[in-house]
Amino acid sequence: MDWFVQLAPWQQALVGCGFTYGMTALGSALVFFFKEIKKDVLNLMLGFASGVMIAASFWSLLDPAIEWAEQNGDIPWLVVALGFGVGGLFLYIADKTIPHMHFGPNHEQEGIHSHLKRTILLVFSITLHNVPEGLAVGVAFGAAANADDPAAAAIAAIAVALGIGIQNFPEGAAVSIPLRQEGLSRRKSFFYGQASGIVEPIAGVLGALLVSKVTVLLPYALSFAAGAMIYVVVEELIPEAQVTSSSKRHFAVFGTMLGFIIMMVLDIALG
């Protein structure tokens, strides 16, 4: 553990996001063993990812943001409200600008009109999810470097990476297997599935560098990442998980609760 604490924040973020990317690739590899994924299982996966992101948004991001704002002598509620709102607004703009296609039954296309292939648009959709996830991990490690107890704070940041990585496993499968159903080969489905996670290390390193160099931005960056993740959950993950008969929507509900519990336990136990 000592060697990890001695790494620069961006290096810690690279290792942490390397793990989350690896879990995405591992989940995507399930396409070599399964040709299809049942809707109930997909809803459970989407719900699980939602629960992890909701819990991480508060326990790992907003709560520390409030503490950092107090230490900086700022008005805590104003700082987190601004950061949270701007994070959601950023994802809204990206959602309306970057061409992508939802994984729902209607394959609704959003963003600027594009002639890109459906498969690329589907990958872009999940890539948008991964930007705030990578940012959350990077900012958490950047915050750890400026904490009074860097070792303890690093462990808390590791909890964030663990939680995001755990939910990336089913998320990777939720990308590659539907792509297989779209007619792609198993290799291409895996390639595109794992490629959707590459943005996480990039966002993580950038986030860590930003907050470690400009510490005054730390509470804003933490709440920004939280707002961006909540936007993804409410705008896309939960609605897509609810596209089923009313008698089976409990799969998404139980998945959300399970994901929330696991992330909350990780954050409290390790943080």
Side-chain angles (χ1 to χ4, degrees):
M1 184 62 190
D2 291 339
W3 69 269
F4 186 79
V5 175
Q6 293 173 0
L7 294 176
W10 71 267
Q11 293 173 319
Q12 294 177 340
L14 184 60
V15 173
C17 289
F19 167 74
T20 63
Y21 160 73
M23 291 297 285
T24 299
L26 195 61
S28 297
L30 291 180
V31 75
F32 292 110
F33 305 96
F34 302 97
K35 186 176 181 179
E36 61 180 9
I37 180 170
K38 292 183 177 180
K39 180 58 179 173
D40 294 341
V41 176
L42 178 60
N43 290 345
L44 186 69
M45 290 178 174
L46 293 173
F48 181 84
S50 300
V52 169
M53 293 173 73
I54 293 170
S57 294
F58 175 74
W59 299 101
S60 304
L61 299 172
L62 289 177
D63 191 39
I66 293 172
E67 294 181 4
W68 277 103
E70 291 175 342
Q71 292 181 22
N72 293 343
D74 298 324
I75 303 174
W77 63 265
L78 180 60
V79 170
V80 295
L82 283 174
F84 188 87
V86 172
L89 181 61
F90 173 81
L91 256 291
Y92 172 78
I93 295 173
D95 201 36
K96 297 303 179 183
T97 303
I98 299 175
H100 64 285
M101 183 177 291
H102 291 277
F103 276 90
N106 298 323
H107 289 302
E108 180 184 357
Q109 185 172 340
E110 288 188 340
I112 297 174
H113 179 70
S114 171
H115 296 289
L116 293 172
K117 293 182 179 179
R118 284 163 55 92
T119 52
I120 300 298
L121 294 176
L122 288 170
V123 172
F124 278 3
S125 177
I126 203 67
T127 300
L128 281 176
H129 299 180
N130 291 333
V131 171
E133 293 173 11
L135 183 63
V137 175
V139 171
F141 281 111
N146 296 288
D148 294 332
D149 188 347
I155 294 176
I158 290 173
V160 179
L162 282 174
I164 297 297
I166 290 172
Q167 68 97 23
N168 274 0
F169 179 77
E171 196 172 73
V175 178
S176 62
I177 294 178
L179 288 178
R180 172 62 174 162
Q181 294 174 325
E182 287 283 319
L184 269 70
S185 67
R186 294 183 188 274
R187 288 186 178 182
K188 284 189 175 180
S189 297
F190 167 74
F191 174 78
Y192 286 125
Q194 61 83 32
S196 68
I198 292 178
V199 70
E200 287 194 11
I202 298 173
V205 169
L206 291 176
L209 287 172
L210 177 65
V211 299
S212 61
K213 299 296 183 181
V214 189
T215 56
V216 69
L217 294 178
L218 187 51
Y220 294 96
L222 287 166
S223 51
F224 176 94
M229 288 209 295
I230 292 298
Y231 179 91
V232 169
V233 170
V234 178
E235 195 274 340
E236 190 157 337
L237 294 184
I238 290 180
E240 288 184 7
Q242 292 290 324
V243 180
T244 184
S245 62
S246 59
S247 62
K248 293 187 176 182
R249 289 180 181 173
H250 59 276
F251 283 96
V253 175
F254 290 151
T256 301
M257 295 183 70
L258 178 62
F260 188 97
I261 290 171
I262 290 177
M263 186 65 230
M264 179 176 62
V265 170
L266 280 174
D267 201 283
I268 295 175
L270 297 180

